[in-house]
Amino acid sequence: MTDADWIRRAIDLARQGAGLASPGALAGAVIVNNGRVAGEGFYTYDGVHHAEILALHEAGPAARGSTVYTSLEPCAHTGRTPPCAQALIDAGVARVVSAIQDPNPLVDGRGLTMLKQAGIDVQCGILQDEARRANEAFITYITRKRPFGVLKLAMTFDGKIATRLGESQWITSEESRRAGHHLRHEVDAVVTGSGTFLKDKPQMTDRTGRPRRRELLRVVLDRRGRVGRPPGWLVFRGSLEELAAELYGREIQSILLECGPDLAFNAIRSGVVDKIVAFVAPKLLGGRETPAIGGPGAERLSEAVRLSDWTAATAGPDLVITAYVHGHH
Ligand SMILES: NC(=O)c1ccc[n+]([C@@H]2O[C@H](COP(=O)([O-])OP(=O)(O)OC[C@H]3O[C@@H](n4cnc5c(N)ncnc54)[C@H](OP(=O)(O)O)[C@@H]3O)[C@@H](O)[C@H]2O)c1
Ligand SMILES: [Zn+2]
């Protein structure tokens, strides 16, 4: 096992906190002594203890002289718990390897400095892209002071989300729809528009069956007041920017937008979308209407919204394309 292998393990552990850590960061730690795992941990908000502390508890005396791998720099501040850096020093660990610095301005390198000053061998920056991606919601939330926005699209190969008569259930496969529930599991809120709400009567719940610390907040955007007061939904009548501010105030770290074409376009334009996940079914519908992204459309190529870092995967027969909206991330 190399340092990178152990860091990957720490990132995998961190991910186990999905749905349980927000509004905190996902964090995982592995304590290795003589090439063997002595302790492991990952952060959940309600568990209070940070990943390093859970791993130290498990390791007990085996922490002395060990190497500690963390997906995120150990903290140096007193929040709900005392600083992890101090606990690692007190436990006598020999080496600390972290994937990334903590973007939280309260930490931001201070944890690593504290460890170095105590004579611990410190290294940071291993698998940093993976670690940053695993914590993209937390990083955006803490540095931009707004929720991380994911736009989900379910469309045909030619980018259609419905037929001319408005049939849209279901364009994509069962596997894609299951993956859609996992996207919901990873966020704190889903956001739709009054159009989808009235037409599809969607439940928009997290049906992964996995535990989550806060119920998924369901939001419907409805400026004209057409949806009434549906129980269990937050009806929001302001702009997308106002919604982002309102949800940030409620400690909503990330949102998933599942909406029609014009709202999708406006969401991208207004800067609340950081990532797009498109489930693309191997089907064609043709026609001039029902594009995945609507709005007035660009006149010039120079007006194109730039996407970056895209990757493709599959879900059953469908292709799943993930891309980041350039400039927001
Ligand atoms: N394939 C997919 O991924 C997917 C996902 C969801 C829905 N859909 C499909 O999309 C279709 C519905 O499309 P839709 O356009 O009627 O639904 P929509 O996007 O869910 O709702 C549109 C409504 O949202 C409201 N809205 C609030 N703020 C807005 C803003 N900033 N920009 C634009 N709209 C805003 C508007 O009503 P007010 O003016 O009253 O505010 C608007 O009429 C359905 O066929 C549904 O099945 C597809
Ligand atoms: Zn900590």
Side-chain angles (χ1 to χ4, degrees), residues 50 52 74-75 84:
H50 291 183
E52 298 88 330
C75 67
C84 291

Side-chain angles (χ1 to χ4, degrees), residues 9-23:
R9 173 74 194 143
I11 295 171
D12 287 345
L13 280 163
R15 285 206 187 93
Q16 290 186 37
L20 300 171
S22 173

Side-chain angles (χ1 to χ4, degrees), residues 283-296:
K283 299 173 185 168
L284 294 168
L285 282 171
R288 295 191 164 73
E289 284 147 56
T290 64
I293 313 284

